[in-house]
Amino acid sequence: AQSVAQPEDQVNVAEGNPLTVKCTYSVSGNPYLFWYVQYPNRGLQFLLKYITGDNLVKGSYGFEAEFNKSQTSFHLKKPSALVSDSALYFCAVRDGRGQLIWGAGTKLIIKP
Amino acid sequence: ETGVTQTPRHLVMGMTNKKSLKCEQHLGHNAMYWYKQSAKKPLELMFVYNFKEQTENNSVPSRFSPECPNSSHLFLHLHTLQPEDSALYLCASSQVSLRESGGTGELFFGEGSRLTVL
């Protein structure tokens, strides 16, 4: 079955430290992978995507994600966290029918 | 401002009421979507419209009735809802439907309509 797993409900990071939000996926064929962010009381915003090419993808607000085919992972990273990065982060993968399969989300809390 | 506007932002309704959610996109996109967001769950795709034709209905109960009069407007009509339907309803749009080869998955979301069913 095609699926996306975000194993951590919540990630706590001190401001200035590097952050990682994990995502693993299961999909047939070549995956199209995405990260979206949702700030409080807002809709989701696109952060970045991997379609093909370089395994390290750079996106908005200084975020990047690394595609690892052997581990079927697409972890979101940032070298230095900001308090304003606190939000809900969703990983998604496009399946063969063209639908997005979503993870349940990871709440990221950045403490000053 | 994402270019996708949803109204109302908050709605409280009884189980016998009829109400509607509205979505408007100013991006010139061809595909529009309704999603249901419940806490700590993946987003649930409800309906997809491409060039104002419905292309997906993910086994959504008939108490939810979508309407897409044109590519810029999308409605979700609500009737005899249940308390478990309380959630954040998100509208999204994309230039190309995800089903098409050019559909790469970048969706533009509205801020959502928070629905509470009493």
Side-chain angles (χ1 to χ4, degrees):
Chain A
Q2 302 183 109
S3 63
V4 172
Q6 294 183 242
E8 301 152 317
D9 285 344
Q10 183 170 309
V11 171
N12 297 298
V13 178
E15 187 177 25
N17 282 2
L19 68 88
T20 299
V21 182
K22 296 179 180 177
C23 173
T24 58
Y25 65 91
S26 173
V27 67
S28 56
N30 293 322
Y32 289 8
L33 294 154
F34 308 86
W35 277 102
Y36 282 78
V37 60
Q38 185 177 31
Y39 297 102
N41 301 312
R42 305 294 294 274
L44 279 71
Q45 294 179 36
F46 170 80
L47 266 183
L48 52 78
K49 65 183 177 187
Y50 171 83
I51 305 297
T52 186
D54 195 348
N55 289 344
L56 186 64
V57 179
K58 294 188 183 297
S60 307
Y61 311 121
F63 283 93
E64 58 189 26
E66 186 168 11
F67 170 62
N68 187 316
K69 188 173 183 178
S70 62
Q71 297 185 4
T72 61
S73 67
F74 189 56
H75 300 332
L76 182 70
K77 300 180 180 184
K78 187 173 182 181
S80 179
L82 300 173
V83 173
S84 57
D85 293 329
S86 298
L88 193 54
Y89 290 81
F90 290 93
C91 180
V93 64
R94 182 180 183 266
D95 70 8
R97 296 192 304 142
Q99 286 195 13
L100 284 180
I101 302 170
W102 296 86
T106 299
K107 186 175 183 179
L108 177 64
I109 298 176
I110 309 299
K111 298 182 178 179
Chain B
E1 177 59 54
T2 64
V4 180
T5 304
Q6 289 187 243
T7 55
R9 292 292 309 278
H10 300 273
L11 178 62
V12 179
M13 59 187 289
M15 290 192 287
T16 58
N17 291 159
K18 287 184 181 181
K19 297 286 184 182
S20 295
L21 306 181
K22 179 184 176 182
C23 176
E24 183 175 0
Q25 59 98 357
H26 309 276
L27 301 168
H29 288 170
N30 297 316
M32 296 187 76
Y33 311 77
W34 278 118
Y35 278 94
K36 177 183 179 182
Q37 184 180 16
S38 304
K40 298 187 179 181
K41 288 185 177 181
L43 270 68
E44 298 175 46
L45 179 65
M46 300 175 72
F47 302 103
V48 181
Y49 279 82
N50 192 30
F51 291 98
K52 73 178 184 178
E53 297 297 323
Q54 188 179 121
T55 58
E56 293 278 349
N57 177 340
N58 272 2
S59 304
V60 180
S62 59
R63 57 186 184 269
F64 294 91
S65 174
E67 179 189 0
C68 189
N70 54 61
S71 293
S72 298
H73 293 86
L74 186 62
F75 295 88
L76 188 63
H77 304 300
L78 315 170
H79 178 48
T80 59
L81 295 191
Q82 304 298 311
E84 59 265 29
D85 296 323
S86 298
L88 182 67
Y89 288 84
L90 292 167
C91 173
S93 70
S94 62
Q95 179 64 52
V96 178
S97 169
L98 296 181
R99 279 178 166 261
E100 298 181 27
S101 61
T104 57
E106 184 172 349
L107 301 179
F108 291 76
F109 284 83
E111 296 190 336
S113 294
R114 173 71 62 186
L115 174 65
T116 303
V117 181
L118 301 176

